[in-house]
Amino acid sequence: MERCDVLVLGAGPGGLAAAAAAKKAGAERAVLIDRDVRAGGILNQCIHDGFGLIRYGASISGPEYAAKALAEAEAAGVTLRLGLQAVSMTAQRTLLAQGKDGLVEFQAGSIVLATGCRERTRGAISVPGSRPAGIFTAGVLQNFVNVRNILCGKRVVILGSGDIGLIMARRLTLEGAHVEAVLEVMKEPGGLARNISQCLYDFGIPLYTSHTVSNIIGKRKLEAVEVSPVDDAMRPIPGRAWTVPCDALVLSVGLIPENEVALTAGVAVDEKGRGALTDEYLMTNLPGVFACGNCRKVMDLADYVSNQGTLAGENAAHFVQGEPLRTWNDRESSGMVKGLPAPGSVTCPICPNGCQIVIDPETGAVSGNRCPRGLSFAEQERIRPMRTLTTTLRVEGGPVPLVSVRSDRAIPRDDLQEAARRLKACCVRPPIRLGDCLAELEAGGVTVRMLAGEDVL
Amino acid sequence: MKDVIIIGAGAVGCTIARELAFTRLDMLVLEKECDVAAGTTGRNSAVVHAGFNNRPGSLMARLCVEGSRGMEALCRELDVPYRKTGKALVAFDEEDMEILRKLKAQGEANGTRGLRLIGKEELERMVPGVGGIGGFYSPETAILDPFKYCIAMAENAAENGAEFRFEEEVTGIRREDGGFTVTTGKGEYRCRVLINSAGLYADKVSAMAGVNDYHIYPCRGEYFILDEVAEELLQMPVYPALKAGIGGLGVHLTPTVHGNIIVGPSAEYIDEADDYACTPPVMDKLWQEAQALLPTLKRRYVIGNYSGIRAKLAPENEGGYRDFVIREEEDCPGLINLVGIESPGLTASRPIALMVREMVGQRLPLVKKENAVRTHRFPPVFAKLAREEQERLIREDPEYGEIVCRCRRVTKAEIRQAIENPLGARSLSAVKYRAWATTGRCNGGYCLNRIVDMLVREYGMRPEEVTLRGPGSEMFSGEVK
Ligand SMILES: Cc1cc2nc3c(=O)[nH]c(=O)nc-3n(C[C@H](O)[C@H](O)[C@H](O)COP(=O)(O)OP(=O)(O)OC[C@H]3O[C@@H](n4cnc5c(N)ncnc54)[C@H](O)[C@@H]3O)c2cc1C
Ligand SMILES: Cc1cc2nc3c(=O)[nH]c(=O)nc-3n(C[C@H](O)[C@H](O)[C@H](O)COP(=O)(O)OP(=O)(O)OC[C@H]3O[C@@H](n4cnc5c(N)ncnc54)[C@H](O)[C@@H]3O)c2cc1C
Ligand code: SF4
């Protein structure tokens, strides 16, 4: 039996922040466990930028964000235990985990749940048709493409306009696949305006709202999907379907909080959303058991998750010490603009406000920006849109097949695909350290440096 | 020249192979898919029927009762998950009650044991929340794991010398003096006795040998798979009392040996014997009927769908069942045909195999093989072991410590054993059915990547070689870069 003051379950941004905060708040021993052998949670496969706008005042990639969060936890003196999968826990705050060294039992003064979420699947939404190879959820595919160097197919249809699906539309395009369409059964897309603008509009990928996949065709291997508009009850309208040949169907149809372990102890979860229910101190129905991040409620931005983790970790430490707890306000995590960008507007990506900025073509008058940075972005957008390029490079002779990279400056949007294509030929060898310049390329008349987003040793 | 060739490695073909492998006969099994249990055997309700559904005097009735009686011991011998749950049928009105009374009489005539009519209270105790005015209880009905059943049969047969060849679809059969020449996409094989257990294609295979007497009408049944809520909601299969006519047993709810619930099947005659689609009107209807049977079911329990296809000899306008055809063809000596082996074919597979064994014995000497092995063992299922056992396994092999499939708590060691299975089947389904990974509520969201990674990095497969169910079902187009 291992004892600790605060035990944090899950080393994504929520758990890393919680463990660091618990330690800073005076917990003697704060243990952070994760089943993966690498800390960072889902961030490690999110190689695109847009993370860190709130916490670090810069737009960095998921792996870079994870590295920062990990460094903070390590600096705070958190005990990291990786490769340990929690299997069950009790209301008395014992927890059973399993790893290569055997089964480990913990007794904690308080526990913070930060187990993230999983994706809703085809099974859960009962997409009709056959069951061939070639159907993936967006997160699974993201992992294949960004981490394991495996590509699903060349002609892709995406069902659901969740953020991961939108992000994957861009990723697959940059990797040379053709995204035929993104379909959304609701009237409004589910993802952030920023992602619709930068992942679909930038590449001319059509978005069909009020449409769905009404049939999957192909007995062994996916051959095509049948696309139908839907009525108000979200049922396909008969006689209006058309067929889109494709070899991959990607589902981005929602995330479900992951609370398997919590449930074994009797943590109450929301009947519909499946998130762990907490009070204003982020404490669940079990005294001393807290929850933060996506296992509590799926959030749009990792930064918000970290903020929430920080509070949960601090409260967990204070719970053990018998100190008063602080309260969380859910409004602190809902600033982002969702759905279709306002017509004729550009979505400012500089900060999480995501202002919808409109420039009057006649008068040149700018409106909708809440600060001057948005003004210069919008002006640039009119002349020549500029984007950060994020992609991966092939690693030769390393423990992993790919390393994530981000351009150190924005390049012309219209050069993104060509730049990504040229980088495909590039191959690097370990040791690689976060921030190393791994490749240079000419774009928009300047030399752009591609910086490693993570260590590969 | 082989003594025997068996066409089709479903439950029937594999069980026959196992029985014959106890003799010195030289035997080959040809299967068009990349693994066993790829046809109807992997797509059914997995119920060990007690034998009251079938017409007295029919082969179906006799073989089902025999199969049901022997199944527990057989599953123990082969290390196949089996649970005698009993089964309840629900009557919603007096007409239903009358149907159940007749069913009881029929079951008793067939030799099914322990059948009794039950009142409302007892029914409610057995299946809480079910409603109805009363019902019928069959204590002998059980559930099993059909994949492991079929795999165990095949592995045991292989251990005793039966040869299995996959991805070999039989496309032609020539009759020759004293035997047959069987052509597949890959080669030609000769044998003395030919056993046709090709399931949905048994009519076509028979015709290849010149016996054109059969026509199979594929009849699809769709299912929902629910999460692991059986322990909480459903201890035994529940069926409605079936009003006459349709060739199925009605939409029923069945717990699985893994703790899930399956809902289905529908019954719909279709054109193609491999059209496993799930269709919205049927799915909607299924769900309504299931909820009428058990109102506690919630839509959010659904984690998947599948469908299975019945190999019916009765055309749609006839309805109901025709009996199993199990016979050596007079017009084609040496050809043993198994046609129309629909439900309860799984339950009856062993008695079917024993019948076929007798028929083979009419042609070839059945000499007992010395030191043939009767028992079969699967690698341990980590999640089911006591804690001390788990700790011991991890000490011996740290890969038991690493969980690959989190929904089912399947460890890396188990995935490895599944990949390295004795039959040499190498697809994601092969791993799925052996280790039961990717089958949980996340549908492989967590483990799929890890399994593929093992295949690519530890077993040297290229991504484009990884298939879902053998050639033609490639999952990936290749490397990204
Ligand atoms: C596929 C995907 C893509 C996303 N893309 C973006 C994006 O582009 N931008 C963005 O801002 N947000 C994105 N999100 C949302 C993102 O998940 C959150 O912003 C943030 O990463 C959630 O942090 P978390 O700490 O709650 O969970 P996670 O980052 O998911 O971390 C949970 C951790 O818990 C561990 N864990 C779970 N169960 C156990 C157990 N039983 N035992 C041990 N360890 C366990 C997991 O291994 C994981 O490391 C994405 C989410 C998903 C699922
Ligand atoms: C919806 C449904 C529910 C059922 N529920 C139950 C139940 O609860 N209990 C029960 O006892 N029974 C049940 N059954 C019946 C049971 O599943 C079948 O009777 C049994 O699986 C039949 O096994 P088989 O080996 O004959 O056929 P299959 O499993 O179909 O095997 C035939 C094999 O032959 C192969 N094959 C075909 N053509 C060729 C060729 N030309 N060359 C090489 N190989 C070929 C196929 O690929 C296949 O693998 C159900 C059936 C259905 C459809
Ligand atoms: S305009 Fe200013 S406030 Fe609005 S999103 Fe851009 S940076 Fe943020």
Side-chain angles (χ1 to χ4, degrees):
Chain A
M1 179 82 85
E2 280 192 34
R3 288 178 189 280
C4 58
D5 299 325
V6 178
L7 178 65
V8 181
L9 182 52
L16 285 164
K23 201 62 198 155
K24 283 188 199 145
E28 195 133 323
R29 199 171 134 77
V31 177
L32 173 57
I33 75 172
D34 199 293
R35 58 192 173 196
D36 210 334
V37 291
R38 179 177 177 191
I42 209 74
L43 294 173
N44 290 320
Q45 67 186 58
C46 300
I47 62 156
H48 53 281
D49 67 324
F51 295 88
L53 292 171
I54 303 172
R55 298 272 287 190
Y56 305 110
S59 175
I60 55 178
S61 71
E64 289 175 297
Y65 186 101
K68 283 187 189 288
L70 174 61
E72 287 167 10
E74 282 174 337
V78 167
T79 309
L80 244 188
R81 299 283 302 272
L82 297 175
L84 259 192
Q85 168 120 12
V87 285
S88 61
M89 61 182 265
T90 67
Q92 290 70 45
R93 298 185 297 279
T94 64
L95 183 139
L96 181 68
Q98 142 173 22
K100 281 185 170 175
D101 299 328
L103 302 176
V104 195
E105 211 166 347
F106 292 92
Q107 171 70 63
S110 60
I111 291 181
V112 181
L113 304 167
T115 42
C117 59
R118 63 173 188 270
E119 296 181 277
R120 183 166 288 129
T121 63
R122 170 180 183 187
I125 60 168
S126 298
V127 184
S130 58
R131 302 152 52 81
I135 304 173
F136 301 90
T137 55
V140 165
L141 189 60
Q142 187 177 48
N143 182 278
F144 274 126
V145 172
N146 290 349
V147 179
R148 303 189 198 267
N149 196 24
I150 294 176
L151 192 61
C152 56
K154 303 274 192 227
R155 297 181 76 179
V156 184
V157 171
I158 298 179
L159 174 60
S161 58
D163 284 308
I164 317 168
L166 300 176
I167 298 275
M168 283 313 290
R170 174 174 63 188
R171 267 309 286 152
L172 291 167
T173 306
L174 288 178
E175 293 300 356
H178 191 260
V179 178
E180 307 282 339
V182 175
L183 313 172
E184 170 58 57
V185 72
M186 312 284 267
K187 292 196 173 99
E188 285 290 320
L192 300 175
R194 177 181 86 182
N195 287 340
I196 293 174
S197 157
Q198 299 209 344
C199 299
L200 302 187
Y201 293 178
D202 274 7
F203 302 96
I205 298 170
L207 168 67
Y208 295 91
T209 52
S210 298
H211 280 72
T212 192
V213 169
S214 51
N215 196 11
I216 291 174
I217 301 159
K219 282 176 180 157
R220 288 173 171 257
K221 169 87 196 148
L222 180 65
E223 288 161 16
V225 296
E226 190 185 274
V227 175
S228 292
V230 298
D231 60 20
D232 286 340
M234 291 194 282
R235 304 212 149 241
I237 302 172
R240 304 245 324 257
W242 75 95
T243 302
V244 181
C246 57
D247 56 5
L249 172 64
V250 178
L251 305 183
S252 179
V253 291
L255 299 170
I256 304 169
E258 168 100 356
N259 283 305
E260 320 284 85
V261 177
L263 284 169
T264 64
V267 169
V269 300
D270 179 37
E271 172 72 17
K272 270 187 98 175
R274 308 308 291 161
L277 292 168
T278 67
D279 59 17
E280 66 269 37
Y281 307 109
L282 299 177
M283 186 148 79
T284 66
N285 60 319
L286 304 182
V289 178
F290 296 79
C292 67
N294 285 350
C295 69
R296 175 178 173 270
K297 202 167 173 194
V298 175
M299 292 166 123
D300 299 324
L301 265 201
D303 294 62
Y304 295 139
V305 171
S306 299
N307 289 348
Q308 197 178 64
T310 303
L311 186 84
E314 194 185 296
N315 280 354
H318 287 166
F319 176 86
V320 177
Q321 298 150 351
E323 306 263 336
L325 309 185
R326 278 204 299 137
T327 61
W328 170 262
N329 183 346
D330 263 328
R331 257 172 312 176
E332 287 169 39
S333 61
S334 54
M336 304 288 288
V337 181
K338 286 203 184 198
L340 284 181
S345 75
V346 294
T347 306
C348 176
I350 298 175
C351 91
N353 285 342
C355 294
Q356 312 275 292
I357 310 175
V358 182
I359 306 180
D360 190 311
E362 312 264 294
T363 64
V366 176
S367 60
N369 56 316
R370 282 185 244 174
C371 86
R373 286 183 298 169
L375 176 62
S376 36
F377 172 79
E379 281 173 344
Q380 179 67 50
E381 198 74 355
R382 243 180 28 143
I383 309 162
R384 184 157 71 155
M386 301 291 282
R387 301 284 182 265
T388 301
L389 172 64
T390 54
T391 185
T392 54
L393 298 182
R394 192 186 170 86
V395 175
E396 199 70 33
V400 291
L402 296 172
V403 58
S404 66
V405 287
R406 173 173 61 84
S407 62
D408 68 342
R409 59 174 70 193
I411 69 171
R413 179 189 68 194
D414 298 339
D415 292 350
L416 282 172
Q417 272 171 280
E418 173 57 20
R421 198 188 60 76
R422 267 186 282 151
L423 287 172
K424 272 197 171 198
C426 186
C427 183
V428 291
R429 298 194 143 266
I432 297 163
R433 297 213 174 264
L434 184 130
D436 284 358
C437 173
L438 298 181
E440 290 186 347
L441 56 104
E442 301 297 319
V446 291
T447 304
V448 181
R449 292 149 38 92
M450 300 304 296
L451 307 182
E454 58 203 317
D455 291 344
V456 179
L457 302 174
Chain B
M1 171 86 93
K2 294 277 175 190
D3 294 318
V4 178
I5 287 181
I6 299 174
I7 302 174
V12 172
C14 291
T15 308
I16 296 171
R18 174 174 183 259
E19 286 306 327
L20 293 181
F22 296 138
T23 72
R24 291 208 200 144
L25 294 176
D26 187 17
M27 186 180 16
L28 171 64
V29 184
L30 295 172
E31 167 57 52
K32 71 181 168 76
E33 301 296 329
C34 72
D35 197 358
V36 301
T40 307
T41 297
R43 299 162 163 276
N44 51 55
S45 300
V47 173
V48 182
H49 291 299
F52 51 81
N53 285 309
N54 308 102
R55 207 170 345 105
S58 63
L59 269 181
M60 276 182 172
R62 176 164 69 80
L63 300 178
C64 182
V65 171
E66 280 175 32
S68 156
R69 287 192 187 160
M71 194 57 94
E72 185 163 13
L74 183 60
C75 286
R76 207 176 312 120
E77 191 169 68
L78 294 172
D79 196 18
V80 173
Y82 166 99
R83 196 148 52 89
K84 196 174 274 185
T85 50
K87 158 172 159 177
L89 278 82
V90 185
F92 288 99
D93 51 30
E94 204 29 59
E95 193 191 337
D96 285 351
M97 255 349 258
E98 191 47 40
I99 293 172
L100 294 184
R101 270 180 223 116
K102 285 194 186 134
L103 209 54
K104 177 166 177 281
Q106 173 168 294
E108 281 158 358
N110 290 345
T112 312
R113 295 177 183 145
L115 301 177
R116 61 194 168 83
L117 295 170
I118 53 178
K120 192 172 161 55
E121 288 82 59
E122 192 172 3
L123 178 64
E124 175 63 27
R125 255 201 321 282
M126 285 178 178
V127 192
V130 74
I133 61 163
F136 166 100
Y137 176 63
S138 158
E140 292 296 314
T141 306
I143 54 177
L144 55 58
D145 178 340
F147 299 100
K148 279 203 160 170
Y149 179 80
C150 192
I151 292 165
M153 286 292 173
E155 288 187 354
N156 185 235
E159 187 179 355
N160 289 324
E163 183 186 354
F164 282 79
R165 286 177 175 263
F166 297 103
E167 294 166 27
E168 296 224 25
E169 176 169 355
V170 173
T171 51
I173 297 169
R174 269 199 325 276
R175 282 155 75 175
E176 289 161 350
D177 280 355
F180 301 87
T181 298
V182 176
T183 320
T184 72
K186 291 185 181 161
E188 283 200 343
Y189 307 94
R190 304 194 58 222
C191 64
R192 293 191 171 82
V193 170
L194 183 61
I195 300 174
N196 168 15
S197 53
L200 288 157
Y201 299 90
D203 55 346
K204 309 228 162 30
V205 169
S206 174
M208 288 177 206
V211 180
N212 286 303
D213 301 358
Y214 308 104
H215 187 88
I216 289 176
Y217 300 90
C219 176
R220 182 169 61 204
E222 299 182 26
Y223 290 89
F224 283 98
I225 310 170
L226 309 191
D227 209 341
E228 291 166 64
V229 287
E231 207 177 293
E232 203 180 311
L233 295 180
L234 189 71
Q235 311 302 322
M236 66 179 76
V238 209
Y239 290 55
L242 198 62
K243 308 205 156 89
I246 66 166
L249 301 176
V251 169
H252 45 262
L253 310 172
T254 310
T256 72
V257 290
H258 300 285
N260 299 70
I261 295 178
I262 48 182
V263 175
S266 51
E268 177 198 6
Y269 278 84
I270 55 170
D271 297 331
E272 293 169 67
D274 62 346
D275 183 0
Y276 291 111
C278 293
T279 55
V282 173
M283 287 196 280
D284 289 350
K285 189 155 166 282
L286 256 184
W287 189 255
Q288 279 165 13
E289 289 181 25
Q291 264 205 321
L293 200 53
L294 194 66
T296 48
L297 294 182
K298 297 201 175 75
R299 193 65 180 72
R300 71 168 167 81
Y301 296 152
V302 174
I303 64 166
N305 293 85
Y306 69 99
S307 62
I309 302 178
R310 304 172 183 84
K312 283 208 160 292
L313 285 169
E316 186 165 12
N317 56 16
E318 177 183 318
Y321 292 93
R322 283 200 203 165
D323 206 0
F324 293 152
V325 171
I326 303 170
R327 67 159 165 247
E328 180 173 352
E329 296 294 343
E330 264 168 44
D331 299 346
C332 185
L335 171 67
I336 299 174
N337 261 336
L338 295 113
V339 195
I341 313 296
E342 55 170 316
S343 190
L346 189 60
T347 308
S349 50
R350 177 113 191 290
I352 291 175
L354 293 176
M355 242 179 106
V356 171
R357 185 181 181 277
E358 289 312 305
M359 293 177 187
V360 174
Q362 301 295 310
R363 305 231 147 243
L364 301 169
L366 299 179
V367 185
K368 199 164 158 253
K369 185 180 280 164
E370 297 305 318
N371 53 41
V373 188
R374 290 200 77 87
T375 54
H376 173 272
R377 283 286 160 267
F378 281 106
V381 178
F382 186 87
K384 292 237 147 65
L385 298 176
R387 193 165 151 184
E388 303 73 54
E389 269 301 287
Q390 294 181 333
E391 280 176 331
R392 186 181 62 76
L393 282 180
I394 300 176
R395 266 198 310 279
E396 284 171 11
D397 178 356
E399 285 192 344
Y400 275 109
E402 232 178 294
I403 294 177
V404 172
C405 169
R406 35 132 272 186
C407 298
R408 304 287 189 177
R409 205 177 166 192
V410 181
T411 63
K412 187 165 183 187
E414 292 165 274
I415 302 288
R416 188 177 299 295
Q417 285 152 351
I419 294 174
E420 295 173 359
N421 67 78
L423 296 172
R426 189 64 79 79
S427 68
L428 278 164
S429 301
V431 175
K432 168 174 168 176
Y433 297 141
R434 285 163 178 82
W436 210 237
T438 76
T439 60
R441 58 185 70 92
C442 86
N443 283 190
Y446 183 72
C447 60
L448 177 66
N449 302 66
R450 287 164 172 79
I451 296 170
V452 171
D453 201 61
M454 279 175 80
L455 290 171
V456 171
R457 282 151 65 93
E458 298 178 32
Y459 291 88
M461 289 175 84
R462 282 183 288 127
E464 58 274 30
E465 290 171 348
V466 176
T467 67
L468 187 57
R469 311 182 198 102
S473 65
E474 289 72 22
M475 306 260 304
F476 307 104
S477 51
E479 295 192 315
V480 179
K481 48 193 55 159

